[in-house]
Amino acid sequence: EACATSNYWKQTAEKHGHEAKLISAKLVSNIRQTQKTDANDALAIVQASQLVDVQFISGKSVAQQELQSLLRMRELAVKQKVAL
Protein backbone atom coordinates (compact mmCIF):
# COMPACT_ATOMS: atom_id res chain seq x y z
CA GLU A 1 0.00 0.00 0.00
CA ALA A 2 1.44 3.37 -0.99
CA CYS A 3 2.12 5.24 2.25
CA ALA A 4 4.81 7.49 3.70
CA THR A 5 7.63 4.93 3.76
CA SER A 6 6.51 2.68 0.91
CA ASN A 7 8.99 4.16 -1.57
CA TYR A 8 11.89 3.32 0.75
CA TRP A 9 10.73 -0.27 1.19
CA LYS A 10 10.10 -0.65 -2.55
CA GLN A 11 13.65 0.52 -3.29
CA THR A 12 15.07 -1.80 -0.60
CA ALA A 13 13.14 -4.82 -1.90
CA GLU A 14 14.27 -4.14 -5.46
CA LYS A 15 17.91 -3.90 -4.33
CA HIS A 16 17.57 -7.46 -3.02
CA GLY A 17 16.16 -8.75 -6.30
CA HIS A 18 12.43 -8.69 -5.53
CA GLU A 19 9.71 -7.24 -7.75
CA ALA A 20 7.81 -4.73 -5.64
CA LYS A 21 4.60 -2.98 -6.64
CA LEU A 22 2.67 -0.22 -4.88
CA ILE A 23 -1.11 -0.09 -4.66
CA SER A 24 -3.04 3.13 -4.15
CA ALA A 25 -4.06 3.70 -0.54
CA LYS A 26 -7.47 4.89 -1.77
CA LEU A 27 -8.06 1.58 -3.54
CA VAL A 28 -7.09 -0.37 -0.43
CA SER A 29 -9.34 1.75 1.80
CA ASN A 30 -12.28 1.17 -0.58
CA ILE A 31 -11.75 -2.60 -0.41
CA ARG A 32 -11.22 -2.76 3.38
CA GLN A 33 -14.50 -4.01 4.85
CA THR A 34 -14.11 -3.17 8.53
CA GLN A 35 -12.12 -0.79 10.69
CA LYS A 36 -8.46 -0.05 9.98
CA THR A 37 -6.15 -2.57 11.59
CA ASP A 38 -2.93 -4.16 10.36
CA ALA A 39 -4.67 -7.47 9.70
CA ASN A 40 -7.56 -5.85 7.83
CA ASP A 41 -5.12 -3.71 5.82
CA ALA A 42 -3.08 -6.79 4.86
CA LEU A 43 -6.22 -8.61 3.73
CA ALA A 44 -7.39 -5.61 1.69
CA ILE A 45 -3.96 -5.27 0.06
CA VAL A 46 -4.01 -8.93 -1.00
CA GLN A 47 -7.55 -8.57 -2.34
CA ALA A 48 -6.68 -5.38 -4.21
CA SER A 49 -3.58 -6.94 -5.78
CA GLN A 50 -5.70 -9.75 -7.23
CA LEU A 51 -8.17 -7.46 -9.01
CA VAL A 52 -8.16 -7.83 -12.78
CA ASP A 53 -7.91 -4.13 -13.62
CA VAL A 54 -5.75 -2.90 -10.73
CA GLN A 55 -3.26 -0.21 -11.70
CA PHE A 56 -0.08 -0.24 -9.65
CA ILE A 57 1.66 2.99 -8.70
CA SER A 58 5.21 3.59 -9.83
CA GLY A 59 7.37 4.45 -6.84
CA LYS A 60 9.42 7.60 -6.50
CA SER A 61 13.16 7.63 -7.05
CA VAL A 62 15.49 9.02 -4.40
CA ALA A 63 15.84 12.24 -6.42
CA GLN A 64 12.06 12.64 -6.61
CA GLN A 65 11.76 12.07 -2.87
CA GLU A 66 14.44 14.70 -2.20
CA LEU A 67 12.61 17.21 -4.40
CA GLN A 68 9.32 16.44 -2.68
CA SER A 69 10.96 16.97 0.72
CA LEU A 70 12.33 20.34 -0.36
CA LEU A 71 8.93 21.43 -1.65
CA ARG A 72 7.21 20.36 1.56
CA MET A 73 9.80 22.18 3.71
CA ARG A 74 9.33 25.32 1.61
CA GLU A 75 5.54 25.10 1.97
CA LEU A 76 5.90 24.75 5.73
CA ALA A 77 8.29 27.72 5.92
CA VAL A 78 5.86 29.89 3.93
CA LYS A 79 2.96 28.76 6.13
CA GLN A 80 4.89 29.59 9.32
CA LYS A 81 5.99 32.97 7.95
CA VAL A 82 2.41 33.88 7.06
CA ALA A 83 1.27 32.76 10.52
CA LEU A 84 3.68 35.22 12.14
Side-chain angles (χ1 to χ4, degrees):
E1 179 182 10
C3 64
T5 59
S6 61
N7 289 302
Y8 167 77
W9 288 113
K10 182 178 187 294
Q11 292 165 3
T12 302
E14 288 176 344
K15 283 180 188 175
H16 294 295
H18 298 283
E19 179 185 354
K21 296 181 180 180
L22 299 177
I23 299 175
S24 167
K26 283 186 179 183
L27 176 61
V28 173
S29 67
N30 288 338
I31 292 176
R32 189 181 330 105
Q33 297 174 359
T34 57
Q35 61 190 17
K36 184 170 174 53
T37 64
D38 289 343
N40 291 340
D41 278 349
L43 180 61
I45 290 168
V46 169
Q47 291 172 342
S49 68
Q50 294 176 348
L51 293 175
V52 176
D53 59 347
V54 66
Q55 292 183 351
F56 294 100
I57 298 171
S58 60
K60 290 185 177 77
S61 67
V62 174
Q64 289 172 323
Q65 288 178 297
E66 289 172 352
L67 182 59
Q68 183 182 24
S69 295
L70 288 173
L71 292 172
R72 296 255 169 99
M73 287 188 289
R74 182 184 182 281
E75 289 172 0
L76 179 61
V78 169
K79 185 176 178 179
Q80 290 176 344
K81 183 179 178 181
V82 170
L84 288 175

Coordinates of all heavy atoms in Angstrom, one line a residue:
E1 N 0.9 -1.2 0.0 CA 0.0 0.0 0.0 C 0.9 1.2 0.0 O 1.8 1.3 0.8 CB -0.9 0.0 1.2 CG -1.8 1.2 1.4 CD -2.6 1.1 2.6 OE1 -2.4 0.3 3.5 OE2 -3.5 1.9 2.7
A2 N 0.6 2.2 -0.9 CA 1.4 3.4 -1.0 C 1.2 4.3 0.2 O 0.1 4.8 0.4 CB 1.1 4.1 -2.3
C3 N 2.2 4.4 1.1 CA 2.1 5.2 2.3 C 3.4 6.0 2.4 O 4.3 6.0 1.5 CB 1.8 4.4 3.5 SG 3.1 3.2 3.9
A4 N 3.7 6.6 3.5 CA 4.8 7.5 3.7 C 6.1 6.8 3.4 O 7.0 7.4 2.8 CB 4.8 8.1 5.1
T5 N 6.3 5.6 3.9 CA 7.6 4.9 3.8 C 7.6 3.9 2.7 O 8.6 3.1 2.5 CB 8.0 4.3 5.1 OG1 7.0 3.3 5.5 CG2 8.2 5.3 6.2
S6 N 6.6 3.8 1.9 CA 6.5 2.7 0.9 C 7.6 2.8 -0.2 O 8.1 1.8 -0.7 CB 5.1 2.6 0.3 OG 4.9 3.9 -0.4
N7 N 7.9 4.0 -0.5 CA 9.0 4.2 -1.6 C 10.3 3.6 -1.1 O 11.0 3.0 -1.9 CB 9.1 5.6 -2.0 CG 8.0 6.1 -2.8 OD1 7.7 5.6 -3.8 ND2 7.3 7.1 -2.3
Y8 N 10.6 3.9 0.2 CA 11.9 3.3 0.7 C 11.9 1.8 0.7 O 12.8 1.2 0.3 CB 12.1 3.8 2.2 CG 13.2 3.1 2.9 CD1 14.5 3.3 2.7 CD2 12.8 2.0 3.8 CE1 15.5 2.6 3.3 CE2 13.8 1.3 4.5 CZ 15.2 1.6 4.2 OH 16.1 0.9 4.9
W9 N 10.8 1.2 1.1 CA 10.7 -0.3 1.2 C 10.7 -0.9 -0.2 O 11.3 -1.9 -0.4 CB 9.5 -0.7 2.0 CG 9.7 -0.5 3.5 CD1 9.1 0.4 4.2 CD2 10.7 -1.1 4.3 NE1 9.6 0.4 5.5 CE2 10.6 -0.5 5.6 CE3 11.7 -2.0 4.1 CZ2 11.4 -0.9 6.6 CZ3 12.5 -2.4 5.2 CH2 12.4 -1.8 6.4
K10 N 10.1 -0.2 -1.2 CA 10.1 -0.6 -2.5 C 11.5 -0.6 -3.1 O 12.0 -1.6 -3.7 CB 9.2 0.2 -3.4 CG 9.1 -0.2 -4.9 CD 8.2 0.7 -5.7 CE 7.9 0.2 -7.0 NZ 9.0 0.2 -8.0
Q11 N 12.3 0.4 -2.8 CA 13.7 0.5 -3.3 C 14.5 -0.6 -2.6 O 15.4 -1.2 -3.3 CB 14.2 1.9 -3.0 CG 13.6 3.0 -3.8 CD 13.9 4.4 -3.3 OE1 14.6 4.5 -2.3 NE2 13.3 5.4 -3.9
T12 N 14.3 -0.8 -1.3 CA 15.1 -1.8 -0.6 C 14.8 -3.2 -1.1 O 15.7 -4.0 -1.3 CB 14.8 -1.7 0.9 OG1 15.1 -0.4 1.4 CG2 15.6 -2.7 1.7
A13 N 13.5 -3.5 -1.4 CA 13.1 -4.8 -1.9 C 13.7 -5.0 -3.3 O 14.2 -6.1 -3.6 CB 11.6 -4.9 -2.0
E14 N 13.7 -4.0 -4.1 CA 14.3 -4.1 -5.5 C 15.8 -4.3 -5.4 O 16.3 -5.0 -6.3 CB 13.9 -3.0 -6.3 CG 12.4 -3.0 -6.7 CD 11.9 -1.8 -7.5 OE1 12.6 -0.8 -7.5 OE2 10.8 -1.9 -8.0
K15 N 16.5 -3.7 -4.5 CA 17.9 -3.9 -4.3 C 18.3 -5.4 -4.0 O 19.3 -5.8 -4.4 CB 18.5 -3.0 -3.2 CG 18.6 -1.6 -3.6 CD 19.2 -0.8 -2.4 CE 19.1 0.7 -2.7 NZ 19.6 1.5 -1.5
H16 N 17.3 -6.1 -3.4 CA 17.6 -7.5 -3.0 C 17.0 -8.4 -4.0 O 16.8 -9.6 -3.8 CB 17.0 -7.7 -1.6 CG 17.7 -7.0 -0.5 ND1 19.0 -7.2 -0.2 CD2 17.3 -6.0 0.3 CE1 19.4 -6.4 0.8 NE2 18.3 -5.7 1.1
G17 N 16.6 -7.9 -5.2 CA 16.2 -8.7 -6.3 C 14.7 -9.1 -6.3 O 14.3 -9.9 -7.1
H18 N 13.9 -8.4 -5.5 CA 12.4 -8.7 -5.5 C 11.7 -7.7 -6.5 O 12.2 -6.6 -6.7 CB 11.8 -8.5 -4.1 CG 12.4 -9.5 -3.2 ND1 12.1 -10.8 -3.1 CD2 13.4 -9.3 -2.2 CE1 12.7 -11.4 -2.1 NE2 13.5 -10.5 -1.6
E19 N 10.6 -8.1 -7.0 CA 9.7 -7.2 -7.8 C 8.7 -6.7 -6.8 O 7.8 -7.4 -6.3 CB 9.0 -8.0 -8.9 CG 8.1 -7.1 -9.7 CD 7.3 -7.9 -10.8 OE1 7.6 -9.1 -10.9 OE2 6.5 -7.3 -11.4
A20 N 8.7 -5.4 -6.6 CA 7.8 -4.7 -5.6 C 6.9 -3.8 -6.4 O 7.3 -3.1 -7.4 CB 8.6 -3.9 -4.6
K21 N 5.6 -3.8 -6.0 CA 4.6 -3.0 -6.6 C 3.8 -2.3 -5.5 O 3.6 -2.8 -4.5 CB 3.6 -3.8 -7.5 CG 4.3 -4.5 -8.6 CD 3.3 -5.3 -9.4 CE 4.0 -6.0 -10.6 NZ 3.0 -6.8 -11.4
L22 N 3.4 -1.0 -5.8 CA 2.7 -0.2 -4.9 C 1.2 -0.1 -5.3 O 1.0 0.0 -6.5 CB 3.3 1.2 -4.8 CG 4.7 1.3 -4.3 CD1 5.2 2.7 -4.3 CD2 4.9 0.7 -2.9
I23 N 0.3 -0.2 -4.4 CA -1.1 -0.1 -4.7 C -1.6 1.2 -4.0 O -1.2 1.5 -2.9 CB -1.9 -1.3 -4.1 CG1 -1.4 -2.6 -4.8 CG2 -3.4 -1.1 -4.3 CD1 -2.0 -3.8 -4.2
S24 N -2.5 1.9 -4.7 CA -3.0 3.1 -4.2 C -3.7 2.9 -2.8 O -4.5 2.0 -2.6 CB -4.1 3.7 -5.1 OG -4.8 4.7 -4.6
A25 N -3.4 3.8 -1.9 CA -4.1 3.7 -0.5 C -5.6 3.9 -0.6 O -6.3 3.3 0.1 CB -3.5 4.7 0.4
K26 N -6.0 4.7 -1.6 CA -7.5 4.9 -1.8 C -8.1 3.6 -2.2 O -9.2 3.3 -1.7 CB -7.7 6.0 -2.8 CG -7.5 7.4 -2.3 CD -8.0 8.4 -3.3 CE -7.8 9.8 -2.8 NZ -8.3 10.8 -3.8
L27 N -7.5 2.9 -3.1 CA -8.1 1.6 -3.5 C -8.2 0.6 -2.4 O -9.2 0.0 -2.2 CB -7.2 1.0 -4.7 CG -7.6 -0.4 -5.2 CD1 -9.0 -0.4 -5.7 CD2 -6.6 -0.9 -6.2
V28 N -7.1 0.5 -1.6 CA -7.1 -0.4 -0.4 C -8.2 0.0 0.6 O -8.9 -0.8 1.1 CB -5.7 -0.4 0.2 CG1 -5.7 -1.2 1.5 CG2 -4.7 -1.0 -0.7
S29 N -8.3 1.3 0.8 CA -9.3 1.8 1.8 C -10.8 1.5 1.3 O -11.7 1.2 2.1 CB -9.2 3.2 2.1 OG -9.5 4.0 1.0
N30 N -11.0 1.5 0.0 CA -12.3 1.2 -0.6 C -12.6 -0.3 -0.5 O -13.7 -0.7 -0.3 CB -12.4 1.6 -2.0 CG -12.5 3.1 -2.2 OD1 -12.8 3.8 -1.3 ND2 -12.1 3.6 -3.4
I31 N -11.6 -1.1 -0.5 CA -11.8 -2.6 -0.4 C -11.9 -3.1 1.0 O -12.6 -4.0 1.3 CB -10.6 -3.3 -1.1 CG1 -10.7 -3.0 -2.6 CG2 -10.6 -4.8 -0.9 CD1 -9.6 -3.6 -3.5
R32 N -11.2 -2.4 2.0 CA -11.2 -2.8 3.4 C -12.7 -2.8 3.9 O -13.4 -1.8 3.7 CB -10.4 -1.8 4.2 CG -10.2 -2.3 5.6 CD -9.4 -1.4 6.5 NE -8.4 -0.6 5.9 CZ -8.5 0.7 5.6 NH1 -9.5 1.4 6.0 NH2 -7.5 1.4 5.0
Q33 N -13.1 -3.9 4.5 CA -14.5 -4.0 4.9 C -14.8 -3.5 6.3 O -15.9 -3.2 6.6 CB -14.9 -5.5 4.7 CG -14.8 -5.9 3.3 CD -15.0 -7.4 3.1 OE1 -15.3 -8.1 4.1 NE2 -15.0 -7.9 1.9
T34 N -13.9 -3.6 7.1 CA -14.1 -3.2 8.5 C -13.1 -2.1 8.9 O -12.5 -1.5 8.1 CB -14.0 -4.4 9.5 OG1 -12.7 -4.9 9.3 CG2 -15.0 -5.4 9.2
Q35 N -13.0 -1.9 10.2 CA -12.1 -0.8 10.7 C -10.7 -1.1 10.3 O -10.3 -2.2 10.0 CB -12.3 -0.6 12.2 CG -11.9 -1.8 13.0 CD -12.3 -1.6 14.5 OE1 -13.1 -0.7 14.8 NE2 -11.8 -2.4 15.4
K36 N -9.9 0.0 10.4 CA -8.5 0.0 10.0 C -7.6 -0.7 11.1 O -7.4 -0.1 12.1 CB -8.0 1.4 9.7 CG -6.6 1.4 9.1 CD -6.2 2.8 8.6 CE -4.8 2.9 8.2 NZ -4.3 1.9 7.3
T37 N -7.1 -1.9 10.8 CA -6.2 -2.6 11.6 C -5.1 -3.1 10.7 O -5.3 -3.2 9.4 CB -6.8 -3.7 12.4 OG1 -7.3 -4.7 11.5 CG2 -7.9 -3.2 13.3
D38 N -4.0 -3.6 11.2 CA -2.9 -4.2 10.4 C -3.4 -5.4 9.6 O -3.2 -5.6 8.4 CB -1.7 -4.5 11.2 CG -1.0 -3.3 11.7 OD1 -1.2 -2.2 11.1 OD2 -0.1 -3.4 12.6
A39 N -4.2 -6.2 10.3 CA -4.7 -7.5 9.7 C -5.7 -7.2 8.6 O -5.6 -7.7 7.5 CB -5.3 -8.4 10.8
N40 N -6.6 -6.2 8.8 CA -7.6 -5.8 7.8 C -6.9 -5.2 6.6 O -7.3 -5.3 5.5 CB -8.6 -4.9 8.4 CG -9.5 -5.7 9.4 OD1 -9.6 -6.9 9.4 ND2 -10.2 -4.9 10.3
D41 N -5.9 -4.3 6.9 CA -5.1 -3.7 5.8 C -4.4 -4.8 5.0 O -4.4 -4.7 3.7 CB -4.1 -2.7 6.4 CG -4.7 -1.4 6.7 OD1 -5.8 -1.1 6.4 OD2 -4.0 -0.6 7.4
A42 N -3.8 -5.7 5.6 CA -3.1 -6.8 4.9 C -4.1 -7.6 4.0 O -3.8 -7.9 2.8 CB -2.4 -7.7 5.8
L43 N -5.2 -7.9 4.5 CA -6.2 -8.6 3.7 C -6.7 -7.8 2.5 O -6.8 -8.3 1.4 CB -7.4 -9.0 4.6 CG -8.5 -9.8 3.9 CD1 -8.0 -11.1 3.4 CD2 -9.7 -10.0 4.9
A44 N -6.9 -6.5 2.8 CA -7.4 -5.6 1.7 C -6.3 -5.4 0.6 O -6.6 -5.4 -0.6 CB -7.8 -4.3 2.3
I45 N -5.1 -5.4 1.0 CA -4.0 -5.3 0.1 C -3.9 -6.5 -0.8 O -3.8 -6.4 -2.0 CB -2.6 -5.0 0.8 CG1 -2.6 -3.6 1.4 CG2 -1.4 -5.2 -0.2 CD1 -1.5 -3.4 2.4
V46 N -4.0 -7.7 -0.2 CA -4.0 -8.9 -1.0 C -5.2 -9.0 -2.0 O -5.0 -9.3 -3.1 CB -4.0 -10.2 -0.1 CG1 -4.3 -11.4 -0.8 CG2 -2.7 -10.2 0.7
Q47 N -6.4 -8.6 -1.5 CA -7.6 -8.6 -2.3 C -7.4 -7.6 -3.5 O -7.8 -7.8 -4.6 CB -8.8 -8.3 -1.5 CG -9.2 -9.4 -0.6 CD -10.3 -9.0 0.4 OE1 -10.6 -7.8 0.6 NE2 -10.9 -10.0 1.0
A48 N -6.9 -6.4 -3.2 CA -6.7 -5.4 -4.2 C -5.7 -5.8 -5.3 O -5.8 -5.6 -6.4 CB -6.2 -4.1 -3.6
S49 N -4.6 -6.5 -4.8 CA -3.6 -6.9 -5.8 C -4.1 -8.0 -6.7 O -3.5 -8.2 -7.8 CB -2.4 -7.5 -5.0 OG -2.7 -8.7 -4.4
Q50 N -5.2 -8.7 -6.4 CA -5.7 -9.8 -7.2 C -6.8 -9.3 -8.2 O -7.4 -10.1 -8.9 CB -6.2 -10.9 -6.4 CG -5.0 -11.6 -5.6 CD -5.5 -12.7 -4.7 OE1 -6.7 -12.8 -4.4 NE2 -4.5 -13.5 -4.2
L51 N -7.2 -8.0 -8.1 CA -8.2 -7.5 -9.0 C -7.6 -7.5 -10.4 O -6.5 -7.3 -10.7 CB -8.5 -6.0 -8.6 CG -9.3 -5.8 -7.3 CD1 -9.4 -4.4 -7.0 CD2 -10.6 -6.5 -7.3
V52 N -8.5 -7.7 -11.4 CA -8.2 -7.8 -12.8 C -7.6 -6.5 -13.3 O -6.6 -6.5 -14.0 CB -9.4 -8.3 -13.6 CG1 -9.0 -8.3 -15.1 CG2 -9.8 -9.6 -13.1
D53 N -8.3 -5.4 -13.0 CA -7.9 -4.1 -13.6 C -7.2 -3.2 -12.7 O -7.2 -2.0 -12.8 CB -9.2 -3.4 -14.2 CG -10.2 -3.2 -13.1 OD1 -10.0 -3.8 -12.0 OD2 -11.1 -2.4 -13.3
V54 N -6.5 -3.7 -11.7 CA -5.7 -2.9 -10.7 C -4.6 -2.2 -11.4 O -3.9 -2.8 -12.2 CB -5.3 -3.7 -9.5 CG1 -4.2 -4.7 -9.9 CG2 -4.7 -2.8 -8.4
Q55 N -4.4 -0.9 -11.2 CA -3.3 -0.2 -11.7 C -2.3 0.1 -10.6 O -2.7 0.7 -9.6 CB -3.7 1.1 -12.3 CG -4.5 0.9 -13.6 CD -4.9 2.2 -14.2 OE1 -4.7 3.2 -13.7 NE2 -5.5 2.1 -15.4
F56 N -1.1 -0.4 -10.7 CA -0.1 -0.2 -9.7 C 0.5 1.1 -9.8 O 0.6 1.7 -10.9 CB 1.0 -1.3 -9.7 CG 0.4 -2.7 -9.4 CD1 0.1 -3.6 -10.4 CD2 0.2 -3.1 -8.1 CE1 -0.4 -4.8 -10.1 CE2 -0.3 -4.3 -7.7 CZ -0.6 -5.2 -8.8
I57 N 1.0 1.7 -8.7 CA 1.7 3.0 -8.7 C 3.2 2.8 -8.9 O 3.8 1.9 -8.2 CB 1.4 3.7 -7.4 CG1 -0.1 3.9 -7.2 CG2 2.1 5.0 -7.3 CD1 -0.5 4.4 -5.8
S58 N 3.8 3.6 -9.7 CA 5.2 3.6 -9.8 C 5.8 4.4 -8.6 O 5.3 5.4 -8.3 CB 5.7 4.2 -11.1 OG 5.3 5.6 -11.2
G59 N 6.8 3.8 -8.0 CA 7.4 4.4 -6.8 C 8.2 5.6 -7.2 O 8.6 5.8 -8.4
K60 N 8.6 6.4 -6.3 CA 9.4 7.6 -6.5 C 10.9 7.2 -6.4 O 11.2 6.3 -5.6 CB 9.1 8.7 -5.5 CG 7.8 9.3 -5.6 CD 7.6 10.5 -4.6 CE 6.4 11.2 -4.8 NZ 5.2 10.5 -4.2
S61 N 11.7 7.8 -7.2 CA 13.2 7.6 -7.1 C 13.7 8.5 -5.9 O 12.9 9.3 -5.3 CB 13.9 8.0 -8.3 OG 13.8 9.5 -8.5
V62 N 14.9 8.3 -5.5 CA 15.5 9.0 -4.4 C 15.5 10.5 -4.7 O 15.2 11.4 -3.9 CB 16.9 8.5 -4.1 CG1 17.6 9.4 -3.0 CG2 16.9 7.1 -3.6
A63 N 15.8 10.8 -6.0 CA 15.8 12.2 -6.4 C 14.5 12.9 -6.3 O 14.3 14.0 -5.9 CB 16.4 12.4 -7.8
Q64 N 13.4 12.1 -6.7 CA 12.1 12.6 -6.6 C 11.7 12.8 -5.2 O 11.0 13.8 -4.8 CB 11.1 11.7 -7.3 CG 11.2 11.7 -8.8 CD 10.4 10.6 -9.4 OE1 10.2 9.5 -8.9 NE2 9.8 10.9 -10.6
Q65 N 12.1 11.9 -4.3 CA 11.8 12.1 -2.9 C 12.5 13.3 -2.3 O 11.9 14.0 -1.5 CB 12.2 10.8 -2.1 CG 11.3 9.6 -2.4 CD 11.7 8.4 -1.6 OE1 12.8 7.9 -1.9 NE2 10.9 7.9 -0.7
E66 N 13.7 13.5 -2.7 CA 14.4 14.7 -2.2 C 13.7 16.0 -2.6 O 13.6 16.9 -1.8 CB 15.9 14.7 -2.7 CG 16.7 13.6 -2.1 CD 18.1 13.5 -2.8 OE1 18.3 14.1 -3.8 OE2 18.9 12.7 -2.2
L67 N 13.3 16.0 -3.9 CA 12.6 17.2 -4.4 C 11.3 17.4 -3.7 O 11.0 18.5 -3.3 CB 12.4 17.1 -5.9 CG 11.7 18.3 -6.6 CD1 12.5 19.5 -6.4 CD2 11.5 18.0 -8.1
Q68 N 10.6 16.3 -3.4 CA 9.3 16.4 -2.7 C 9.6 17.0 -1.3 O 8.8 17.8 -0.8 CB 8.6 15.1 -2.6 CG 7.3 15.1 -1.9 CD 6.6 13.7 -1.8 OE1 7.3 12.7 -1.9 NE2 5.3 13.7 -1.7
S69 N 10.6 16.5 -0.6 CA 11.0 17.0 0.7 C 11.3 18.5 0.7 O 10.8 19.2 1.6 CB 12.2 16.2 1.3 OG 11.8 14.9 1.5
L70 N 12.0 18.9 -0.3 CA 12.3 20.3 -0.4 C 11.1 21.2 -0.6 O 10.9 22.2 0.1 CB 13.3 20.6 -1.5 CG 14.7 20.1 -1.3 CD1 15.6 20.3 -2.6 CD2 15.4 20.9 -0.2
L71 N 10.2 20.7 -1.4 CA 8.9 21.4 -1.7 C 8.1 21.5 -0.4 O 7.5 22.5 -0.1 CB 8.2 20.8 -2.8 CG 8.8 20.9 -4.2 CD1 8.0 20.1 -5.2 CD2 8.8 22.4 -4.6
R72 N 8.0 20.4 0.3 CA 7.2 20.4 1.6 C 7.8 21.3 2.6 O 7.1 22.0 3.4 CB 7.1 18.9 2.1 CG 6.4 18.0 1.2 CD 5.0 17.7 1.7 NE 4.2 17.0 0.7 CZ 4.0 15.7 0.6 NH1 4.5 14.9 1.5 NH2 3.2 15.2 -0.3
M73 N 9.1 21.3 2.7 CA 9.8 22.2 3.7 C 9.6 23.6 3.4 O 9.3 24.5 4.2 CB 11.3 21.9 3.8 CG 11.6 20.6 4.5 SD 13.4 20.4 4.8 CE 14.0 20.0 3.2
R74 N 9.6 23.9 2.0 CA 9.3 25.3 1.6 C 7.9 25.7 1.9 O 7.6 26.8 2.4 CB 9.6 25.5 0.1 CG 9.4 26.9 -0.4 CD 9.5 27.0 -1.9 NE 9.4 28.3 -2.4 CZ 8.2 28.9 -2.5 NH1 7.1 28.3 -2.2 NH2 8.1 30.2 -3.0
E75 N 6.9 24.8 1.7 CA 5.5 25.1 2.0 C 5.3 25.4 3.5 O 4.6 26.3 3.9 CB 4.7 23.9 1.5 CG 4.5 23.8 0.0 CD 3.8 22.5 -0.4 OE1 3.4 21.8 0.5 OE2 3.6 22.4 -1.6
L76 N 6.0 24.6 4.3 CA 5.9 24.7 5.7 C 6.5 26.1 6.2 O 5.9 26.8 7.0 CB 6.6 23.6 6.5 CG 6.6 23.7 8.0 CD1 5.2 23.6 8.5 CD2 7.4 22.5 8.6
A77 N 7.7 26.4 5.6 CA 8.3 27.7 5.9 C 7.4 28.9 5.5 O 7.2 29.9 6.3 CB 9.6 27.8 5.2
V78 N 6.8 28.8 4.4 CA 5.9 29.9 3.9 C 4.7 30.0 4.9 O 4.2 31.0 5.3 CB 5.4 29.7 2.5 CG1 4.3 30.6 2.1 CG2 6.6 29.9 1.5
K79 N 4.1 28.8 5.2 CA 3.0 28.8 6.1 C 3.3 29.4 7.5 O 2.5 30.1 8.1 CB 2.5 27.3 6.3 CG 1.3 27.1 7.1 CD 0.8 25.6 7.1 CE -0.4 25.4 8.0 NZ -0.8 24.0 8.0
Q80 N 4.5 29.1 8.0 CA 4.9 29.6 9.3 C 5.2 31.1 9.2 O 4.8 31.8 10.2 CB 6.1 28.8 9.8 CG 5.8 27.4 10.2 CD 7.0 26.7 10.7 OE1 8.2 27.0 10.4 NE2 6.8 25.5 11.3
K81 N 5.7 31.5 8.1 CA 6.0 33.0 7.9 C 4.7 33.7 7.9 O 4.6 34.8 8.5 CB 6.8 33.2 6.7 CG 7.2 34.6 6.4 CD 8.0 34.8 5.2 CE 8.3 36.3 4.9 NZ 9.1 36.4 3.7
V82 N 3.7 33.2 7.2 CA 2.4 33.9 7.1 C 1.7 33.9 8.4 O 1.1 34.9 8.8 CB 1.5 33.2 6.0 CG1 0.1 33.7 6.0 CG2 2.1 33.4 4.6
A83 N 1.9 32.8 9.2 CA 1.3 32.8 10.5 C 1.8 33.8 11.5 O 1.1 34.3 12.4 CB 1.5 31.4 11.1
L84 N 3.1 34.2 11.3 CA 3.7 35.2 12.1 C 3.1 36.6 11.8 O 2.8 37.4 12.6 CB 5.2 35.3 11.9 CG 6.0 34.1 12.5 CD1 7.5 34.2 12.1 CD2 5.8 34.1 14.0

